[in-house]
Amino acid sequence: MTTAPRPSPLAWARRRRAERGARRLEAAGARALGQLDHLGPAWHVIDWPRTDAVDALLSDSEDDRAGFLAIGPSGLFAVTIADHGRARVLVAGDVVQINGKRPPYVTEARRDARRASKALTAAVGHPIPVTPVLTFVGSGVISVYGLPKDCLMATHRELDRLLVAGGNRISPATAEKLSRVAQHPGTWTDGTYPPAADYRWYDDGRTAADKRATHR
């Protein structure tokens, strides 16, 4: 009977570091999700594959972000979570600096939102805009010298208020339908989700109460 070779000290240390990082990311994601618990049944939080299978195989870098889709009356949001711990964060437009490093968080958040929008649009047969949101989880000070364009940003404590600030842009029924599309594996793999109709979007500044009366 043969036994599996023992890992080298370096391999063991890498695995332990990866396990700690995964637990830390899970905790950070849970803290962000906790802020959305009281938004009500009109909001849906979806776990989705933020990285294509091919990209995941080709990339050997450690992913220090978590994320999910938030779908509700204000629209669709690809929420990217960055755990900065106790480190200070400097934000200047698209540039995020943590511990002297400049991780491309804003660029990657936009990429995730574009990918989600492309997949959902293909699945339902209608243009589905998805807004990128970068959310910081940690106790370190965040200094902002200018926000990025086309990407929302907040701490996890402000996430719920940020998401509802857009008002009512889609109907609750549409949010429910889109959540089902986002939860279907075929949406993210081979696009086999059957297209659905009757998605109701509101123009900017309008709500469900502003719909025109239908005359028969």
Side-chain angles (χ1 to χ4, degrees):
M1 180 178 179
T2 60
T3 59
R6 297 183 62 182
S8 67
L10 180 58
W12 179 86
R14 286 175 175 172
R15 187 176 69 246
R16 291 283 293 178
R17 185 167 62 248
E19 291 172 350
R20 288 196 301 269
R23 289 195 297 269
R24 182 176 173 181
L25 271 181
E26 184 178 358
R31 292 174 68 184
L33 284 171
Q35 290 295 116
L36 306 185
D37 285 344
H38 63 278
L39 288 181
W43 281 88
H44 311 269
V45 177
I46 312 298
D47 186 21
W48 70 295
R50 291 171 35 252
T51 304
D52 289 320
V54 175
D55 293 338
L57 290 174
L58 295 178
S59 176
D60 58 358
S61 61
E62 294 183 3
D63 192 353
D64 57 352
R65 298 170 299 127
F68 52 84
L69 290 178
I71 304 174
S74 299
L76 289 82
F77 303 88
V79 180
T80 297
I81 301 169
D83 183 3
H84 63 97
R86 299 179 180 178
R88 182 182 180 184
V89 179
L90 300 177
V91 178
D94 288 5
V95 178
V96 176
Q97 182 170 306
I98 304 175
N99 288 331
K101 298 180 180 180
R102 295 186 175 183
Y105 287 154
V106 174
T107 298
E108 292 172 350
R110 291 189 182 122
R111 180 202 63 194
D112 290 347
R114 285 195 301 268
R115 179 172 173 267
S117 176
K118 181 179 179 180
L120 292 169
T121 295
V124 305
H126 297 279
I128 306 296
V130 178
T131 301
V133 180
L134 179 58
T135 302
F136 291 103
V137 176
S139 58
V141 176
I142 300 177
S143 301
V144 179
Y145 299 96
L147 293 172
K149 296 180 180 180
D150 305 321
C151 179
L152 302 180
M153 185 178 293
T155 67
H156 75 280
R157 298 181 184 88
E158 303 167 331
L159 181 58
D160 55 338
R161 295 191 295 272
L162 178 68
L163 295 184
V164 301
N168 293 334
R169 299 178 61 86
I170 63 177
S171 70
T174 293
E176 172 66 29
K177 291 178 183 178
L178 290 173
S179 72
R180 291 199 297 267
V181 176
Q183 292 178 74
H184 194 284
T187 298
W188 310 108
T189 54
D190 52 11
T192 57
Y193 189 89
D198 195 25
Y199 290 87
R200 182 170 298 165
W201 295 76
Y202 304 133
D203 296 331
D204 291 343
R206 290 170 59 99
T207 67
D210 297 323
K211 293 183 293 181
R212 296 178 180 178
T214 301
H215 300 282
R216 294 185 178 180

